[in-house]
Amino acid sequence: MKQNLEKKRRPYRWGIIYGLLLTAYAVFTLLDAFVIPRDIVYLDGLSSSSSEDASASSGKSTQNEPAVTGTSYQSDNISITLTTQRIQDTQVYIADVQLKDASLLRAGLADGAFGRNVGEATSVIAEEVGAILAINGDYYGFRDEGFVMRNGYLYRDTARSGYGNDDLVIYEDGSFAIVEEANSDAQTLADEGAVQIFSFGPGLVEDGEITVNEATEVDQAMRSNPRTAIGMIEPLHYLLVVSDGRTDESEGLTLMELAQVMQDLGCQTAYNLDGGGSSTMWFMGEVVNVPTDGRSIRERSVSDIVYIGE
């Protein structure tokens, strides 16, 4: 009798053990994908040397004190003016930026390191790097592929699989270019003078013409969303744009609407950065927009930022 009962219990025991193992594996997979930091590369002085070079080239030591208001920053090297517009039932925040030197347009990494699942809020990274103005970047840490160059250092040269993946390349002269990642080589771009490469996309405007259409969307994104974009009117004259969304006050923008905004503002080149819950604009110690993940009003941790700094 006891032997028969034991035989009947064995399948259930193995089922429980298998279920526990399967659950543990699923939990580890999720933690590895979204939580556990890995493949970390610390800057080891790269950021400080870049900042010193930028300061030297911009003449920081001899400049006058900047004039600062709640919506502007004016110095010998940097001019920033913030405005807001109401577009498609959405609040849109526009930072018009003019620089004396291209090295004043920089990128910052969460926790001062490159790697998967290394994240901090845009405002935290901005404070750490001494930014004047900042927006979220491309959230490179959410993926294992896609070119990543920051402040002249090439962290990742693996292209994303498939076609239709646009990258934004910022060159040392301050010019922008949008390239198809599958048809490009990261080291070649670096040799040609690239200092920043962002891999999110798509490109919104090229040569002053809109390059997306109403059917174009980023994978797994809803039609109207908070959005972040960066555009170039001409080298050293840029627009950093963030829109709210997913709230009763702001519906959000489609990519086509965002592209239209960038074109209307005069951009010759414009590029879509990470949006949704990541979309954040920060200026002189304050978050300018209303970042939200759709459930609460708060900043989301991101891998990186684009910022302006003296």
Side-chain angles (χ1 to χ4, degrees):
M1 178 71 71
K2 290 183 179 180
Q3 290 180 345
N4 291 335
L5 288 173
E6 185 65 26
K7 287 180 180 180
K8 290 180 180 179
R9 288 171 181 166
R10 284 176 186 172
Y12 294 105
R13 289 175 181 172
W14 282 112
I16 292 171
I17 293 171
Y18 178 77
L20 290 173
L21 290 173
L22 188 62
T23 300
Y25 176 76
V27 170
F28 173 78
T29 300
L30 290 172
L31 290 173
D32 184 57
F34 300 109
V35 178
I36 300 172
R38 60 184 176 87
D39 303 325
I40 308 293
V41 178
Y42 287 97
L43 299 186
D44 294 331
L46 287 173
S47 288
S48 59
S49 62
S50 298
S51 298
E52 289 169 4
D53 292 343
S55 297
S57 63
S58 63
K60 179 181 178 182
S61 60
T62 60
Q63 73 171 353
N64 297 318
E65 285 295 315
V68 181
T69 72
T71 57
S72 68
Y73 180 100
Q74 303 291 327
S75 74
D76 294 342
N77 304 311
I78 297 172
S79 172
I80 300 172
T81 303
L82 269 59
T83 58
T84 59
Q85 292 187 22
R86 190 73 182 170
I87 301 172
Q88 300 294 333
D89 293 324
T90 298
Q91 198 76 355
V92 180
Y93 308 83
I94 302 160
D96 187 299
V97 177
Q98 297 187 58
L99 305 176
K100 183 178 179 180
D101 188 274
S103 63
L104 300 169
L105 173 62
R106 306 171 189 166
L109 301 180
D111 202 28
F114 169 87
R116 276 294 296 270
N117 301 322
V118 180
E120 291 180 308
T122 294
S123 59
V124 174
I125 306 173
E127 293 279 6
E128 289 173 348
V129 299
I132 298 165
L133 169 72
I135 57 174
N136 61 286
D138 66 2
Y139 210 151
Y140 74 83
F142 191 69
R143 304 174 302 277
D144 288 319
E145 299 176 334
F147 298 161
V148 180
M149 173 178 273
R150 298 293 186 269
N151 304 325
Y153 190 86
L154 184 60
Y155 289 96
R156 190 166 67 201
D157 60 3
T158 306
R160 286 173 285 177
S161 58
Y163 290 87
N165 294 313
D166 293 339
D167 283 6
L168 174 66
V169 183
I170 302 178
Y171 290 96
E172 56 191 354
D173 66 354
S175 62
F176 283 14
I178 294 172
V179 302
E180 164 62 51
E181 196 169 85
N183 297 326
S184 304
D185 177 77
Q187 187 57 56
T188 299
L189 294 172
D191 294 341
E192 294 171 349
V195 291
Q196 317 284 355
I197 305 177
F198 296 97
S199 57
F200 196 87
L204 301 170
V205 177
E206 294 184 61
D207 297 322
E209 299 297 325
I210 292 175
T211 54
V212 295
N213 56 57
E214 293 180 353
T216 305
E217 257 301 351
V218 176
D219 290 345
Q220 299 178 350
M222 295 185 297
R223 185 176 183 273
S224 295
N225 272 298
R227 301 285 182 182
T228 301
I230 184 170
M232 182 195 74
I233 294 176
E234 60 182 1
L236 306 185
H237 188 182
Y238 310 109
L239 293 173
L240 279 58
V241 174
V242 167
S243 79
D244 287 336
R246 301 179 182 173
T247 69
D248 293 338
E249 292 75 23
S250 290
E251 179 180 346
L253 300 178
T254 67
L255 285 176
M256 182 65 183
E257 290 166 349
L258 180 62
Q260 188 67 61
V261 169
M262 303 305 282
Q263 185 190 53
D264 290 345
L265 291 170
C267 289
Q268 292 302 300
T269 306
Y271 185 79
N272 180 59
L273 292 166
D274 186 25
S278 298
S279 287
T280 306
M281 178 178 287
W282 180 96
F283 176 68
M284 295 299 293
E286 300 291 338
V287 174
V288 175
N289 68 311
V290 183
T292 177
D293 58 6
R295 295 181 295 274
S296 60
I297 304 300
R298 63 182 179 87
E299 288 185 77
R300 180 166 74 184
S301 293
V302 295
S303 302
D304 60 306
I305 64 171
V306 181
Y307 75 97
I308 307 298
E310 292 275 18

